[in-house]
Amino acid sequence: MDAAALWHRYRDWLYYDAGLRIYLDISRMQFDAAFVQQMTPRFEKAFKDMAALEQGAIANPDEDRMVGHYWLRDPDLAPTPELRQSIIDTLVDIEQFASQIRTSVIYPPGQERFTDILSIGIGGSALGPQFVAQALGPDFPPLAIHFIDNTDPEGIDRILARLDDRLSTTIVLVISKSGGTPETRNGMIEVRTRFEQKGLHFPRQAVAITGVDSKLDVLAKQEGWLATFPMHDWVGGRTSELSAVGLLPAALQGIDIRSILGGAKAMDALTRVPRLRDNPAALLALAWYHAGNGKGEKDMVILPYKDSLLLFSRYLQQLVMESLGKEKDLDGNVVYQGIAVYGNKGSTDQHAYVQQLREGVPSFFVTFIEVLKDRDGKSPDVESDVTAGDYLFGLLQGTRRALFEKDRESITITIPEVSAHMVGALIAFYERAVGLYASLVNVNAYHQPGVEAGKKAAASVLELQRQVVRTLQQADRPLSLEELAAQTQHSDDIEIIYTLLRHLHANQRGVTIQGDPGSPLDLTVTAP
């Protein structure tokens, strides 16, 4: 395509909203008019599906529940007065509690003020708050935030070591919708244990963000924790950043949560427009569908050219992959849907995987995120009439051009600045694009059977571990691996038994392996 035709295509497909001052350019996705015409009826259905969702249709038949994260930023859309009032009350409670913590109206036992936040959660209960803290957290927040987002003992130790002399002034947020998420429960127990070792009273510094009447909710109220905040059953983890899950930690850091919600509400309004050309989320979904032939045949590479947006790709990994990665469609057909997401930031990736993007396997499309504002204040020149921000802009545009020269497709999103309002808009932008795309490919974006299957499998492994240890303790002699598998009636799980014994042995858990670990069938195992 020559320069004049490319310029015409750019102007033809450029989306801009003067209110949010956001641009979307999909001109470097090489679809044609016939493709757009073919997709138009599908989008008409997708718009109706999204409207029904917002009106309270049962969107997750597996759990017989609605999906209403859109109501969080516009309570007037909630289908009942009770839901509307609950959303409003929760937001007010969050603001009041956070203000009391920041101003030391509420303070830890024997201390003047809280200095730190320790947020314990996993998946959607961690990725959103981490992204927002990185993007919007002030340089000198009233409370510094830290995260335990895994059940890795060394990772937990590292965080607790950093907080050691400030644990007495740390407020602990325990975030779990079900109240029984194993990784979050483990983190809570580890932190509670450290509190007790230091003579601190955990409940006096703990806050629960959980489902009403969940195990965690009951525990927090029985023990008299500082506060509890609800996680509504109609908000999924990956769309929970604008619920108490994300709003409370943001408010404690002094981030303007009303502005985040306002940005999301403004984007929701733009993406309700039932016309493909005038709906930015629909245009984004159109580009995704074209790139992967509606089957996720290409990966989505997210390249934000701003340090503060570093964690956006991690946040989108869960939002996109957990929502769209499905074995079956809504009709029960095996379809193996999904879009793989990865990324880091520009221009860091100029020196990492952009080489492969330009000259390697063409198995991807790129989304560049451009931020117009370089910094607060004037920038010095790094060359004659050139600033560091000019270089960043040049590297983005140069990479976009270099990729297109090799027939590598890209999308460019341009925002004026990284502000609370724009971060809220970006979150809503991708939530809506995911919902529309899910309708296009006929999958349920709001359940996650694969995640649940993984949790059940993990639980079965832990139960097998208990059986193995009991069998070893009752044995009157060392057992071979095959004997142990037979006595536990798990001969089909001999590989798992071998690996869990290896783990127990490495961590001095009372299991002793004798022999060459590289020759499993020659081993014997004992336990006192």
Side-chain angles (χ1 to χ4, degrees):
M1 187 178 296
D2 63 29
L6 198 56
W7 170 233
H8 182 273
R9 181 176 174 82
Y10 175 80
R11 287 181 289 130
D12 191 32
W13 283 102
L14 180 66
Y15 175 90
Y16 174 67
D17 176 69
L20 280 172
R21 295 180 294 150
I22 187 171
Y23 300 78
L24 173 64
D25 165 31
I26 61 170
S27 66
R28 267 44 175 188
M29 305 297 290
Q30 300 179 39
F31 56 85
D32 57 20
F35 172 75
V36 176
Q37 186 174 6
Q38 170 195 336
M39 295 299 296
T40 298
R42 293 192 182 214
F43 274 100
E44 290 173 355
K45 177 182 181 299
F47 293 138
K48 292 177 182 177
D49 289 345
M50 292 297 291
L53 190 74
E54 287 194 319
Q55 291 165 11
I58 297 298
N60 194 338
D62 292 355
E63 301 174 16
D64 191 32
R65 64 176 172 83
M66 303 177 289
V67 172
H69 47 276
Y70 309 103
W71 311 330
L72 295 169
R73 48 262 202 174
D74 191 350
D76 289 339
L77 295 176
T80 68
E82 293 78 14
L83 284 180
R84 175 182 177 275
Q85 196 60 47
S86 175
I87 295 166
I88 293 170
D89 291 345
T90 299
L91 180 58
V92 171
D93 289 345
I94 288 169
E95 290 177 318
Q96 290 180 345
F97 180 77
S99 175
Q100 290 175 326
I101 293 290
R102 294 196 312 267
T103 58
S104 302
V105 173
I106 299 175
Y107 51 88
Q111 305 291 331
E112 293 183 359
R113 56 183 290 267
F114 283 104
T115 60
D116 294 81
I117 309 160
L118 178 54
S119 179
I120 306 172
I122 195 167
S125 297
L127 290 166
Q130 287 170 333
F131 162 54
V132 168
Q134 170 78 18
L136 301 174
D139 293 335
F140 303 100
L143 286 85
I145 193 163
H146 315 267
F147 295 92
I148 291 177
D149 63 354
N150 201 358
T151 187
D152 174 14
E154 283 190 343
I156 295 171
D157 286 346
R158 187 174 297 116
I159 295 298
L160 292 177
R162 292 172 186 167
L163 284 170
D164 185 61
D165 61 346
R166 301 193 308 280
L167 208 58
S168 62
T169 57
T170 295
I171 185 170
V172 181
L173 311 182
V174 183
I175 308 174
S176 170
K177 183 176 180 178
S178 68
T181 308
E183 297 93 336
T184 303
R185 178 207 60 208
N186 296 353
M188 180 188 73
I189 292 171
E190 291 253 3
V191 171
R192 180 192 285 267
T193 300
R194 187 65 61 90
F195 265 70
E196 292 171 352
Q197 289 170 349
K198 296 180 74 68
L200 301 172
H201 187 55
F202 179 79
R204 297 281 296 276
Q205 296 177 226
V207 174
I209 303 174
T210 187
V212 176
D213 295 329
S214 73
K215 294 178 182 178
L216 179 59
D217 189 44
V218 171
L219 176 68
K221 289 173 179 173
Q222 285 178 343
E223 294 186 344
W225 289 21
L226 272 179
T228 60
F229 294 91
M231 289 181 71
H232 304 289
D233 64 357
W234 37 265
V235 177
R238 57 191 172 279
T239 56
S240 65
E241 173 54 25
L242 302 188
S243 72
V245 169
L247 296 181
L248 178 59
L252 289 169
Q253 294 169 82
I255 296 170
D256 185 349
I257 61 175
R258 292 275 179 172
S259 188
I260 297 176
L261 292 167
K265 180 179 179 179
M267 179 58 75
D268 282 346
L270 297 182
T271 56
R272 285 191 192 103
V273 175
R275 296 180 300 277
L276 174 58
R277 285 269 188 159
D278 300 321
N279 183 320
L283 292 173
L284 197 58
L286 176 79
W288 295 354
Y289 194 100
H290 163 76
N293 293 320
K295 300 176 182 177
E297 292 175 357
K298 290 188 176 181
D299 301 340
M300 182 190 305
V301 180
I302 304 294
L303 281 180
Y305 276 67
K306 206 67 173 177
D307 287 358
S308 57
L309 297 179
L310 168 66
L311 296 181
F312 194 41
S313 61
R314 285 191 64 203
Y315 172 76
L316 291 181
Q317 273 185 334
Q318 184 187 23
L319 176 63
V320 174
M321 295 179 72
E322 194 167 275
S323 297
L324 302 180
K326 303 296 159 63
E327 178 184 9
K328 296 180 180 180
D329 65 13
L330 291 170
D331 300 319
N333 302 310
V334 175
V335 291
Y336 297 122
Q337 275 289 354
I339 303 175
V341 179
Y342 64 93
N344 187 22
K345 66 178 180 180
S347 64
T348 299
D349 289 327
Q350 314 290 109
H351 305 276
Y353 52 72
V354 168
Q355 166 65 29
Q356 178 169 316
L357 296 186
R358 187 171 192 271
E359 298 186 4
V361 182
S363 57
F364 65 91
F365 63 99
V366 173
T367 300
F368 295 102
I369 301 178
E370 176 188 19
V371 180
L372 292 176
K373 182 179 178 180
D374 288 341
R375 60 153 49 105
D376 289 327
K378 184 176 174 59
S379 292
D381 287 353
V382 296
E383 292 180 8
S384 178
D385 294 324
V386 175
T387 67
D390 296 338
Y391 255 105
L392 192 63
F393 168 78
L395 288 163
L396 185 158
Q397 292 295 335
T399 302
R400 175 175 173 270
R401 174 179 292 183
L403 291 178
F404 190 72
E405 288 171 352
K406 290 286 189 176
D407 292 323
R408 313 300 166 98
E409 296 179 304
S410 68
I411 299 163
T412 303
I413 298 168
T414 302
I415 60 175
E417 60 187 352
V418 179
S419 63
H421 200 67
M422 285 312 307
V423 165
L426 282 175
I427 289 171
F429 187 20
Y430 273 87
E431 286 178 351
R432 184 76 62 155
V434 163
L436 290 170
Y437 183 90
S439 178
L440 297 180
V441 299
N442 195 37
V443 299
N444 183 349
Y446 305 105
H447 71 158
Q448 49 281 335
V451 175
E452 299 307 316
K455 291 179 180 178
K456 291 177 182 177
S460 70
V461 170
L462 295 176
E463 179 54 35
L464 176 57
Q465 176 178 304
R466 295 184 187 99
Q467 285 184 255
V468 166
V469 171
R470 283 197 301 266
T471 301
L472 285 171
Q473 289 172 340
Q474 293 167 4
D476 57 5
R477 61 179 176 81
L479 298 179
S480 71
L481 199 58
E482 289 180 323
E483 289 174 326
L484 183 54
Q487 289 191 27
T488 57
Q489 298 181 351
H490 280 277
S491 294
D492 291 341
D493 293 323
I494 192 167
E495 180 182 320
I496 294 177
I497 292 173
Y498 166 64
T499 57
L500 69 83
L501 288 170
R502 193 173 59 189
H503 176 257
L504 293 171
H505 176 78
N507 288 280
Q508 295 84 48
R509 298 282 303 284
V511 168
T512 301
I513 294 177
Q514 296 170 327
D516 180 4
S519 300
L521 294 183
D522 297 330
L523 298 176
T524 58
V525 191
T526 59

